[in-house]
C-alpha cells in the first residue's frame, strides 16, 4: 500500500514525543472516533485503557496531544477527536491493515466474475462499484479509461447521401456507433467494400493497432480500395480516435445515498453535491486516475490532503487496475467520511482491483 504521508519531520517529532501511555490514549481516541464518530472524554477513557490512570492524568496527556495537533475538542465541554493531521498520523504510524477472510475474498471474486460473464464491460464495472459500496457503506467509485479492447467487426451504413453510421463491435461485446460524413458520391457497394477491407485487418487488434497496421500497409490499401472507399476507411478510424481523445474516462458511482445518512446540514449536502460535480468533470476524472496511478498499490487520501476533496472533507481509498501489459487502465475505490474503517477497506479495494484487472486481461 502507498499513501500520502505527513511531513517526515513532523512525524518523527510526534513519534519521539509520545511515550507508551500517550500512544495508547491517542490510539483509543482515534479508534473510538473511527468506530462511533464521537469524541471521547477522560472519564470514559479511564474505563477503556488497559492501565489504571486517573482522569486528571489522562487530561494532561490529552493536552499534550492537542499541543502536537493530533486531537481537538469539537466543543468546550466535549471529549477529544482526532484532527485530520492526527488521522493521517494514525494511518501512517499505528494502523495495522487487516486482511480479508476467505469468505470475503470468495464473495468479491464470485460477484465480480458473475457480472463479467456474458455481460458488457460497463456492466462488470458498475457491479464492482455497487459491491464496494455495499461492503464499505460508502460510495463505490470506478474510473474506466476509454477501453482499448480488441476489435471484432466494423460496418458502415448509409443514413443520408452524405451521412453514414459507423458501427464498431469489440471482442468483449461492447458496441459503439458514430455518425460520420460520407465522401460525395459513395455507393452502397463501396460502403461494403470498406467494411470488408477493415474486417480483414481489425480482428484481434485494438483501434490504435489497426491504424498502425493500415499505415504500414499503405500501398496495399491503395491497391485494394478505390479512392472513395479508402477515404471512408480513414474517416471511420479518425472518428473513433477523436472520440477517444475527447473522452479520456468515464466515472461510475454507486451508493451516494450512503454518504447522506449522517448529513443534516444544508451546507454539508451542498459540499457533497459539489464533490460529485467536480469528480465528473474531465479534469476531475484525470486527477482521480493520476491519484491512483502515482503509487504501486492502494492509496489513502484524508480530507483536504487532495484538492478534489478539500471542500467536502471526504476521504478516498483508491487502487489502480491494470491490463496484461501492466498499464493502468482505470481505478476503483471507496469515498466516504474521514472516519472510514481504513484497515478493513484497504484490503477490500486492493483485492477488488486485482480481480477486475485479472478479468480484463
Amino acid at each position: 500500500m502507498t499513501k500520502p504521508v505527513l511531513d517526515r519531520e513532523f512525524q518523527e517529532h510526534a513519534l519521539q514525543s509520545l511515550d507508551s501511555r500517550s500512544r495508547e490514549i491517542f490510539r483509543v481516541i482515534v479508534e473510538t472516533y473511527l468506530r462511533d464518530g464521537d469524541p471521547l472524554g477522560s472519564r470514559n477513557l479511564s474505563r477503556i485503557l488497559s492501565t489504571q490512570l486517573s482522569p486528571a492524568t489522562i487530561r494532561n496527556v490529552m493536552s499534550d496531544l492537542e499541543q502536537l495537533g493530533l486531537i481537538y475538542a469539537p466543543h468546550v465541554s466535549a471529549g477529544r477527536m482526532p484532527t485530520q493531521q492526527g488521522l493521517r498520523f494514525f494511518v501512517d504510524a499505528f494502523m495495522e491493515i487487516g486482511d480479508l477472510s476467505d469468505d470475503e475474498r470468495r464473495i468479491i471474486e464470485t460477484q465480480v466474475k458473475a457480472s463479467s460473464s456474458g455481460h458488457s464491460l460497463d456492466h462488470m464495472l458498475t457491479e464492482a462499484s455497487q459491491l464496494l459500496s455495499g461492503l464499505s457503506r460508502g460510495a463505490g467509485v470506478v474510473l474506466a479509461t476509454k477501453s482499448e479492447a480488441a476489435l471484432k467487426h466494423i460496418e458502415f451504413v448509409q443514413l443520408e447521401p452524405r451521412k453514414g453510421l459507423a458501427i464498431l463491435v469489440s471482442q468483449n461485446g461492447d458496441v459503439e456507433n458514430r455518425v460520420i460524413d460520407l465522401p460525395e458520391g459513395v455507393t452502397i457497394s463501396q460502403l461494403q467494400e470498406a467494411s470488408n477491407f477493415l474486417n480483414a485487418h481489425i480482428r484481434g487488434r485494438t483501434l490504435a493497432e489497426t491504424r498502425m497496421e493500415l499505415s504500414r500497409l499503405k500501398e496495399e490499401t491503395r491497391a485494394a480500395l478505390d479512392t472513395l472507399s479508402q477515404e471512408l476507411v480513414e474517416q471511420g478510424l479518425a472518428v473513433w480516435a477523436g472520440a477517444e481523445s475527447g473522452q479520456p474516462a468515464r466515472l461510475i458511482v454507486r451508493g451516494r445515498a450512503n454518504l447522506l445518512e449522517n448529513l443534516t446540514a444544508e451546507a454539508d449536502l451542498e459540499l457533497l453535491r459539489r464533490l460529485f460535480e467536480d469528480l465528473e468533470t474531465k479534469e476531475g476524472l484525470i486527477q482521480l486516475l493520476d491519484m491512483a496511478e502515482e503509487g504501486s498499490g492502494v492509496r489513502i487520501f484524508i480530507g483536504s490532503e487532495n484538492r478534489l476533496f478539500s471542500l467536502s472533507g471526504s476521504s478516498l481509498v483508491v487502487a489502480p487496475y491494470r491490463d496484461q501489459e501492466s498499464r493502468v487502465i482505470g481505478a476503483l475505490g471507496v469515498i466516504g467520511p474521514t472516519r472510514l474503517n481504513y484497515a478493513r477497506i484497504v484490503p477490500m479495494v486492493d483485492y477488488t482491483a486485482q480481480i477486475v484487472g485479472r478479468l480484463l486481461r
Side-chain angles (χ1 to χ4, degrees):
M1 177 186 67
T2 59
K3 49 190 181 262
V5 294
L6 290 174
D7 177 80
R8 188 179 297 278
E9 190 174 322
F10 170 84
Q11 195 173 77
E12 289 177 355
H13 172 66
L15 281 171
Q16 291 168 4
S17 303
L18 300 182
D19 57 20
S20 58
R21 184 172 61 186
S22 301
R23 292 182 186 208
E24 184 181 10
I25 289 173
F26 174 65
R27 180 184 57 77
V28 172
I29 290 173
V30 175
E31 288 178 348
T32 300
Y33 168 74
L34 292 178
R35 186 184 66 243
D36 304 326
D38 297 325
L40 191 60
S42 55
R43 290 192 179 279
N44 286 333
L45 252 170
S46 65
R47 300 188 190 104
I48 299 171
L49 296 174
S50 58
T51 53
Q52 287 281 337
L53 295 174
S54 68
T57 301
I58 291 173
R59 282 194 292 272
N60 287 335
V61 173
M62 291 165 75
S63 177
D64 292 340
L65 293 172
E66 271 193 276
Q67 289 293 317
L68 286 169
L70 297 177
I71 62 173
Y72 76 105
H75 308 290
V76 175
S77 59
R80 300 298 184 272
M81 299 168 67
T83 62
Q84 183 179 298
Q85 189 169 238
L87 275 177
R88 167 53 63 192
F89 179 60
F90 175 81
V91 166
D92 289 342
F94 291 93
M95 188 177 73
E96 294 182 9
I97 301 297
D99 197 7
L100 298 176
S101 68
D102 290 341
D103 282 345
E104 288 173 320
R105 287 175 180 269
R106 192 159 41 247
I107 288 170
I108 291 172
E109 188 165 359
T110 300
Q111 290 193 25
V112 176
K113 278 186 175 179
S115 67
S116 69
S117 179
H119 297 286
S120 68
L121 174 62
D122 263 3
H123 179 80
M124 182 183 77
L125 295 177
T126 299
E127 289 300 304
S129 178
Q130 186 69 55
L131 174 66
L132 286 173
S133 170
L135 290 173
S136 68
R137 299 302 301 159
V141 56
V142 175
L143 180 69
T145 56
K146 196 67 177 177
S147 64
E148 271 288 289
L151 306 177
K152 180 180 180 182
H153 181 77
I154 190 169
E155 188 173 347
F156 295 108
V157 178
Q158 190 167 25
L159 301 175
E160 300 172 9
R162 294 296 305 275
K163 289 289 181 184
L165 189 66
I167 305 167
L168 189 73
V169 182
S170 63
Q171 290 192 344
N172 63 18
D174 288 345
V175 178
E176 288 193 54
N177 301 320
R178 292 279 184 270
V179 175
I180 63 172
D181 295 321
L182 297 178
E184 188 173 0
V186 72
T187 65
I188 299 296
S189 63
Q190 286 170 324
L191 290 173
Q192 188 63 54
E193 182 184 21
S195 299
N196 292 342
F197 180 81
L198 274 172
N199 288 325
H201 291 87
I202 65 171
R203 186 173 290 274
R205 290 190 172 96
T206 65
L207 181 62
E209 290 167 346
T210 300
R211 287 166 65 86
M212 288 176 60
E213 175 68 5
L214 293 186
S215 177
R216 189 178 68 81
L217 299 173
K218 203 164 188 177
E219 293 306 316
E220 183 180 322
T221 304
R222 285 195 183 125
L225 297 172
D226 63 34
T227 304
L228 292 183
S229 296
Q230 184 181 332
E231 188 179 334
L232 187 61
V233 166
E234 291 171 356
Q235 168 80 351
L237 293 179
V239 165
W240 268 297
E244 290 191 343
S245 61
Q247 297 178 350
R250 61 192 183 280
L251 185 71
I252 301 168
V253 181
R254 290 294 179 272
R256 297 183 194 212
N258 291 341
L259 303 185
L260 303 176
E261 286 179 354
N262 299 313
L263 292 183
T264 53
E266 189 174 328
D268 290 339
L269 293 171
E270 175 63 16
L271 289 177
L272 199 62
R273 184 186 66 77
R274 288 174 62 183
L275 165 65
F276 284 110
E277 281 184 356
D278 288 344
L279 270 174
E280 288 168 357
T281 64
K282 180 177 176 180
E283 182 182 345
L285 291 174
I286 293 171
Q287 189 178 354
L288 184 59
L289 188 62
D290 287 345
M291 287 157 62
E293 194 170 2
E294 285 169 6
S296 58
V298 182
R299 305 201 78 206
I300 300 173
F301 297 89
I302 299 174
S304 61
E305 287 179 344
N306 185 272
R307 185 176 62 81
L308 199 57
F309 295 90
S310 59
L311 286 176
S312 69
S314 303
S315 286
L316 169 72
V317 180
V318 63
Y321 56 88
R322 302 171 184 271
D323 63 12
Q324 56 195 16
E325 278 83 41
S326 293
R327 296 173 300 189
V328 173
I329 55 172
L332 56 79
V334 170
I335 297 171
T338 53
R339 64 181 193 89
L340 279 172
N341 186 343
Y342 300 100
R344 177 173 176 267
I345 289 174
V346 165
M348 179 194 308
V349 168
D350 187 29
Y351 190 66
T352 306
Q354 290 178 38
I355 296 298
V356 168
R358 197 183 305 159
L359 292 171
L360 292 178
R361 287 169 196 162

